[in-house]
């Protein structure tokens, strides 16, 4: 990816959006002492360049009843089946993240479930996918760090 040059105003806008992507452009403009139109134009430019691809919604999974987190390492019967298996994993809404990996597993994914019984059902769904030889599951005792903001602040600062 080509590196884009951002000026200090762009960085300040990004810093505010990283901390709260729902901050109104008028509020950003007031904090930075620039016009809301300038904020709008700058954000649109960063969207067109592919630097900003959207905003995210952060939810409290505990309030939704999905407190059980597990990581599932998937062994494939054959490496070339990875894309097919990933497409089947996308059909399981409880699989929230999946990576093709090197090392012990062919695919490593994160699941969210209501409880251990539900997690077992999800793992059985994964194991039933054609091409999956077997899986290994690790239960998360506690999600201690889930914060991409620190990395985003650093990465965007490197786009000078």
């Amino acid at each position: 990816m080509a590196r884009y040059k951002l000026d200090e105003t762009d960085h300040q806008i990004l810093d505010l959006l990283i901390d709260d992507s729902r901050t109104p452009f008028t509020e950003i403009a007031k904090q930075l002492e620039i016009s809301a139109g300038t904020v709008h134009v700058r954000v649109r430019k960063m969207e067109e360049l592919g630097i900003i691809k959207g905003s995210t919604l952060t939810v409290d999974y505990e309030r939704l009843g999905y407190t059980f987190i597990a990581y599932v390492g998937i062994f494939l019967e054959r490496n070339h089946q990875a894309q097919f298996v990933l497409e089947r994993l996308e059909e399981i809404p409880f699989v929230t993240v999946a990576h093709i990996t090197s090392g012990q597993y062919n695919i490593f994914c994160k699941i969210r479930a209501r409880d251990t019984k539900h997690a077992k059902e999800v793992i059985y769904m994964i194991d039933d996918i054609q091409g999956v030889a077997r899986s290994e599951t690790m239960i998360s005792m506690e999600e201690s760090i889930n914060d991409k903001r620190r990395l985003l602040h650093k990465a965007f600062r490197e786009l000078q």
Side-chain angles (χ1 to χ4, degrees), residues 114-145:
R114 291 183 294 275
D115 51 33
T116 55
K117 181 180 179 197
H118 183 227
K120 181 176 80 170
E121 294 168 6
V122 174
I123 293 162
Y124 286 169
M125 286 184 225
I126 293 169
D127 286 341
D128 285 343
I129 296 172
Q130 182 182 349
V132 172
R134 66 185 180 90
S135 65
E136 289 183 3
T137 304
M138 292 156 275
I139 297 170
S140 171
M141 305 303 282
E142 174 184 297
E143 186 170 75
S144 303
I145 298 173

Side-chain angles (χ1 to χ4, degrees), residues 74-83 85 105-107 130-134:
I74 300 171
F75 297 89
L76 300 178
E77 292 171 359
R78 305 233 186 281
N79 286 337
H80 73 276
Q81 296 170 307
Q83 190 58 44
V85 171
Y105 310 110
N106 299 102
I107 298 174
Q130 182 182 349
V132 172
R134 66 185 180 90

